[in-house]
Amino acid sequence: MHRSERIWLIFGVVTLVVFLGILAVAAIHDDIVPPSHMQTIDPTRVAQTPPFDKPGVRKVGPNQYEAYIVAHIFSFNPSTITVPVGADVTFYVTSPDVVHGFFITNTTVNMMVIPGWVSDESHVFRAPGTYLLLCNEYCGSGHHFMYGTIEVK
Ligand code: CUA
């Protein structure tokens, strides 16, 4: 083997070991978990677990809202929510079946929805309009039909 070939081979193996080491430290020492603020749920009992037994939007303060949404194959429940302009909405999303995505177009809300976890993210809707909600994680044969809408008026 040529000398420079051997050097590059060693360089490749060393970087691989370093990156895997960083990943292991992040997962074990720094306790890196799904982006869900550590809130867990029994995925087999989502329909019986409050507040996901009654999904929907709740007003929790002046212009403050909480939206509890269940992402399942192949729709969001509820599929349409309506909030006023300027509403500060915190979305709490979980899945009873497989991994889904929760992406609201023209916003920074983009979460992975993992069975057993409650993902949450907040957004202030400053502009009126209809925002498309999409599942952007491939979840099966009906993945491309999985969408919802957020009406801001
Ligand atoms: Cu749900 Cu793709």
Side-chain angles (χ1 to χ4, degrees):
M1 194 188 289
H2 194 273
R3 189 168 166 265
S4 48
E5 202 177 353
R6 194 164 48 235
I7 289 169
W8 279 111
L9 201 63
I10 292 165
F11 177 77
V13 170
V14 167
T15 42
L16 191 68
V17 169
V18 167
F19 288 155
L20 283 174
I22 291 169
L23 204 64
V25 168
I28 298 158
H29 180 262
D30 296 340
D31 208 13
I32 301 281
V33 293
S36 47
H37 294 199
M38 305 294 284
Q39 203 182 330
T40 56
I41 185 169
D42 180 351
T44 64
R45 295 190 50 80
V46 169
Q48 293 85 40
T49 307
F52 289 100
D53 56 340
K54 293 187 185 72
V57 184
R58 326 239 194 289
K59 189 170 185 179
V60 292
N63 240 359
Q64 291 264 333
Y65 295 83
E66 288 178 350
Y68 293 90
I69 297 174
V70 179
H72 53 71
I73 46 172
F74 295 102
S75 62
F76 293 100
N77 180 23
S79 61
T80 301
I81 67 165
T82 305
V83 290
V85 178
D88 183 351
V89 186
T90 303
F91 294 93
Y92 296 89
V93 193
T94 193
S95 164
D97 41 51
V98 298
V99 173
H100 295 281
F102 189 91
F103 171 56
I104 305 171
T105 53
N106 296 321
T107 73
T108 54
V109 179
N110 189 358
M111 302 188 280
M112 198 183 222
V113 183
I114 301 161
W117 296 86
V118 179
S119 300
D120 62 274
E121 200 166 336
S122 298
H123 185 73
V124 180
F125 291 90
R126 298 193 197 283
T130 301
Y131 293 74
L132 192 60
L133 164 62
L134 293 172
C135 175
N136 59 355
E137 295 278 341
Y138 182 73
C139 53
S141 58
H143 161 71
H144 54 293
F145 295 121
M146 189 165 169
Y147 72 98
T149 46
I150 294 160
E151 301 278 356
V152 180
K153 45 181 130 188

